Amino acid sequence: AKALKKLIALGLRGVADDEVAEKLLRMSSEDGSKEVRLEADRALARMATALPAKRRRLATRCAVTALARIPSAEVHGELLDVLGGYLVRSGSLQDELAAKCVSALLYHSRQDPRVANRARAAEVLGKVALASSRWNVSAASDFIQELTRMAQEDRSIDVNHQATETLAVVATRLDDKSTDLIRQCIYGISDINGVPIWNNREPSKLFPLRTKFSILGEVALSLSAENLALAKFCVQCISTGSGDGRVAIRKHMIDVLGVLLREGRRRKSPLRHASWKALWDSGLADPIIEVRKAALVALEPPPLSV
């Protein structure tokens, strides 16, 4: 008993020792006492973040084992980072440990009761999606699909935001030739609760809607000339906000399109034509004079200088 307690104490202190970790892994699965197994799992959770980078596989085994057994309230983001780190550097998702990591990540993105853990899972999924896009496009698409689900369906607005921001990061960092994956990210950002954002009338969704317009603008500006069609699609998604019944939303749409027009002019980018047309068509046709004035200000200088 003393030896067991000493072993668990070493693990809980985060002593980076391979032998201690291996013994704790055995204890976690083999000890006859439920209490001892739980203490071993808690020690493994600490070990997972204490082991050095060169022991990444062992650290990941500790993390996977601990995550499967410790209470949700004791799960912390660093454990999810360990899983992501292994997947990012694996170069494949084919081995058994990688499969366990993916399964654990998806569990915490979907079923973890803690908002912070679901949001952290979204960040990790984004990193894994980016990495896997280089060697497993199908898997990358699946991770983006899960982020889309989190952005649109998670019950927490914080998780919606984090997943949306993560989709934007993925879209802007993907290789220029990953057109289909970039498009998938844009669709994920531009929808909320499974319907186009501009059709959502629920007042509580006002802030996420505004955020999505801004994020789509940032994505449009970040895309290279090779993906001009996708940048124009972002502008199209933003401009359809003209159908929203809230004046504040339509004015925000004008603000974002105005930024795109100014940046397009500064960079001499073809994006300026798409944003100018969107402002002209959506802003100047608005029934509220306040919105039309905002569109006129955004359009200055006049069309001849575009």
Side-chain angles (χ1 to χ4, degrees):
K2 284 185 179 179
L4 290 177
K5 286 182 179 179
K6 183 179 179 181
L7 198 59
I8 289 170
L10 287 171
L12 289 171
R13 288 214 309 270
V15 174
D17 185 286
D18 292 12
E19 188 178 351
V20 172
E22 291 286 3
K23 286 181 178 178
L24 285 168
L25 282 166
R26 283 198 300 275
M27 187 189 303
S28 170
S29 60
E30 297 173 6
D31 194 274
S33 165
K34 184 178 178 181
E35 290 74 17
V36 171
R37 290 198 302 272
L38 181 57
E39 284 304 307
D41 291 330
R42 286 176 173 140
L44 284 171
R46 181 70 185 87
M47 291 289 285
T49 55
L51 286 164
K54 61 184 179 181
R55 295 287 183 266
R56 182 169 287 111
R57 185 175 181 84
L58 180 57
T60 306
R61 286 173 58 208
C62 292
V64 166
T65 303
L67 283 168
R69 298 197 179 108
I70 60 175
S72 295
E74 296 179 25
V75 173
H76 51 88
E78 288 81 359
L79 280 172
L80 302 178
D81 290 342
V82 172
L83 305 185
Y86 180 80
L87 292 171
V88 164
R89 292 166 181 81
S90 69
S92 167
L93 299 173
Q94 304 304 316
D95 66 277
E96 184 181 353
L97 185 55
K100 287 181 178 178
C101 289
V102 171
S103 178
L105 270 177
L106 292 178
Y107 170 82
H108 288 282
S109 71
R110 295 169 182 173
Q111 298 182 48
D112 195 308
R114 295 184 68 194
V115 169
N117 287 339
R118 297 203 304 279
R120 188 65 155 265
E123 288 185 78
V124 175
L125 284 168
K127 292 173 184 175
V128 178
L130 268 174
S132 59
S133 69
R134 297 189 289 272
W135 30 264
N136 191 330
V137 174
S138 176
S141 177
D142 289 342
F143 293 130
I144 292 171
Q145 186 59 43
E146 175 61 12
L147 284 168
T148 297
R149 185 201 64 75
M150 298 177 79
Q152 297 174 11
E153 299 175 15
D154 194 276
R155 59 188 177 276
S156 164
I157 202 169
D158 292 330
V159 176
N160 299 149
H161 284 179
Q162 183 59 65
T164 302
E165 293 281 4
T166 303
L167 283 167
V169 169
V170 175
T172 56
R173 293 184 184 174
L174 280 166
D175 183 88
D176 288 342
K177 292 182 170 47
S178 300
T179 308
D180 289 340
L181 293 178
I182 296 171
R183 183 183 293 107
Q184 188 181 354
C185 289
I186 294 170
Y187 274 117
I189 295 166
S190 64
D191 283 7
I192 185 165
N193 294 335
V195 298
I197 49 177
W198 48 87
N199 287 341
N200 194 305
R201 295 290 184 272
E202 189 179 335
S204 65
K205 299 296 183 184
L206 175 67
F207 181 69
L209 184 59
R210 293 167 71 96
T211 303
K212 283 168 185 280
F213 280 152
S214 303
I215 291 172
L216 284 166
E218 291 162 9
V219 171
L221 289 173
S222 73
L223 293 173
S224 68
E226 192 172 336
N227 282 311
L228 177 61
L230 289 177
K232 287 181 176 178
F233 177 62
C234 290
V235 173
Q236 181 187 343
C237 288
I238 296 165
S239 66
T240 45
S242 61
D244 194 283
R246 295 163 290 183
V247 172
I249 292 297
R250 301 203 301 279
K251 283 189 68 179
H252 179 66
M253 174 199 73
I254 297 298
D255 292 342
V256 174
L257 290 172
V259 170
L260 291 176
L261 176 58
R262 289 193 298 275
E263 279 297 303
R265 283 170 171 161
R266 188 180 67 81
R267 301 179 188 185
K268 294 181 169 49
S269 161
L271 191 60
R272 68 188 187 274
H273 301 301
S275 48
W276 184 88
K277 186 176 187 309
L279 276 167
W280 184 272
D281 292 344
S282 302
L284 295 187
D286 197 275
I288 303 297
I289 191 168
E290 185 183 353
V291 178
R292 294 200 299 274
K293 281 183 178 178
L296 280 171
V297 171
L299 282 165
E300 289 178 344
L304 288 176
S305 65
V306 173

